[in-house]
Amino acid sequence: AEYMGIEATAEQVTPVGKTAYRGSSFCRQIQWLSVREVRNALRDKPSLVGRFGVTTFLNIIVGIVFLGVGNDWGNPLVPDSQMTAIQNHFGAVIMIAIGSLFGQAQPMILAFPQERPVFLREYATGTYGTVPYLLCKLAVELPMSFLQTVVVFLITYWMVEMRGNFLWLVLSTELTGLVAASTALALGAAVADVSTAMQIMPLLFVPQFLFAGFFIRVERIPAWLRWAQYLCSLKYGVNMIAVVEFDNHPAHSAASVDRFLESNSMSEDDMGLYVGIMMALFFLFRLAAILILRAKGRTLSAQ
């Protein structure tokens, strides 16, 4: 028999609930799932237009609101003036990071519940496994995420007059979005429909703001709850982007920049820690999605 291009003989098919997809090689599953994911992405033109259209429109607004703040460092003779200018500059960094979080997480948490019934049916019939399925989704997601982030900075970089390395800003922001998308993927895998996904969406976004340190310093959060900051990628994404952006500052503002970064618990020396935490969250939530889908698929197979 052949389904979705994956061939399997009667001898290769194992009983329901077992790993029937092993009849097809891992590479074979990757090959055909990749073809399907690419075709689905290209065929869904309204989603593509909406995704990049909204990204373009919103970042034009961000660029207008924060026009030129990256080149405004205040009066060198007035420290308060410099701190105000740096805070305005940091506001642009926060908005770009938040835009990346929403721009990549929201499509994932809304789209995945629609695909979930197809996956469960095909997993239950032994067409493929969870790992090839999610790897192929990631293979399509990575270039899409990169292009979306490039669009963000093609608009904002020169309008805001940002000073950080363009490529490092793109990569830091893309990683922020990918980790948020991984969180959305795990949540989307756990719910049955889009309606439920929309209802739990605040569970994805609100903690990001609470533990990012924008509204209240992390030290002010009760100690027994403070651990949650390590599950919220926005904090470390903003730290990465800010360190890259403020690395190239005028000499006369060095003291104010250093004081600002230190007051917000940001340090170039901790860049490796930020990246490490982000990568750990990325793999943690992807693994959670694999385990959730596998458990759902086995439950369906057993029925």
Side-chain angles (χ1 to χ4, degrees), residues 83-156:
M83 290 303 294
T84 299
I86 292 170
Q87 288 171 351
N88 291 337
H89 195 161
F90 184 58
V93 169
I94 292 175
M95 286 306 304
I96 290 171
I98 291 175
S100 177
L101 182 145
F102 276 95
Q104 297 192 43
Q106 192 166 342
M108 181 68 75
I109 200 172
L110 292 178
F112 193 78
Q114 295 177 329
E115 303 174 11
R116 185 172 172 271
V118 176
F119 164 80
L120 292 176
R121 183 176 65 249
E122 293 175 346
Y123 179 88
T125 57
T127 308
Y128 49 75
T130 52
V131 174
Y133 175 71
L134 291 179
L135 281 178
C136 291
K137 292 193 72 66
L138 179 61
V140 174
E141 182 186 353
L142 285 174
M144 194 79 71
S145 169
F146 181 77
L147 288 174
Q148 186 175 2
T149 310
V150 167
V151 169
V152 168
F153 282 101
L154 285 176
I155 297 169
T156 58

Side-chain angles (χ1 to χ4, degrees), residues 54-71 88-89 91-97 99 151-162:
V54 169
T55 297
T56 300
F57 176 77
L58 290 179
N59 281 282
I60 288 174
I61 299 299
V62 170
I64 293 172
V65 170
F66 292 96
L67 190 66
V69 300
N71 199 35
N88 291 337
H89 195 161
V93 169
I94 292 175
M95 286 306 304
I96 290 171
V151 169
V152 168
F153 282 101
L154 285 176
I155 297 169
T156 58
Y157 190 85
W158 285 277
M159 291 184 72
V160 177
E161 297 187 42
M162 302 183 78

Side-chain angles (χ1 to χ4, degrees), residues 181-284:
S182 299
T183 311
L185 178 63
L187 290 175
V191 301
D193 51 57
V194 175
S195 176
T196 306
M198 292 182 68
Q199 292 172 7
I200 68 169
M201 206 177 293
L203 187 62
L204 170 62
F205 296 122
V206 173
Q208 301 284 347
F209 302 119
L210 288 177
F211 294 97
F214 306 149
F215 304 108
I216 184 172
R217 296 183 64 84
V218 175
E219 293 78 8
R220 293 286 299 166
I221 299 174
W224 60 270
L225 189 58
R226 211 172 293 163
W227 61 268
Q229 66 177 299
Y230 298 107
L231 296 177
C232 298
S233 59
L234 183 61
K235 171 182 174 60
Y236 302 100
V238 168
N239 286 6
M240 288 192 305
I241 300 169
V243 167
V244 172
E245 173 63 13
F246 288 109
D247 182 57
N248 182 21
H249 53 73
H252 64 76
S253 63
S256 296
V257 169
D258 290 343
R259 188 165 66 254
F260 176 81
L261 293 178
E262 183 179 356
S263 68
N264 286 277
S265 303
M266 301 175 187
S267 171
E268 185 177 358
D269 296 335
D270 291 333
M271 192 67 166
L273 174 64
Y274 304 149
V275 175
I277 292 175
M278 294 288 277
M279 294 301 297
L281 290 174
F282 175 84
F283 286 111
L284 173 65

Side-chain angles (χ1 to χ4, degrees), residues 1-71:
E2 181 175 339
Y3 183 73
M4 206 193 68
I6 299 178
E7 298 176 356
T9 65
E11 293 77 12
Q12 290 173 319
V13 178
T14 57
V16 174
K18 302 294 185 66
T19 51
Y21 56 83
R22 285 181 181 170
S24 301
S25 70
F26 184 85
C27 292
R28 182 72 165 166
Q29 295 173 49
I30 289 287
Q31 175 188 350
W32 285 100
L33 284 168
S34 298
V35 170
R36 186 174 74 171
E37 287 297 323
V38 171
R39 285 176 178 171
N40 288 344
L42 295 178
R43 285 173 179 170
D44 192 6
K45 289 183 175 59
S47 292
L48 283 175
V49 172
R51 183 170 185 170
F52 284 92
V54 169
T55 297
T56 300
F57 176 77
L58 290 179
N59 281 282
I60 288 174
I61 299 299
V62 170
I64 293 172
V65 170
F66 292 96
L67 190 66
V69 300
N71 199 35

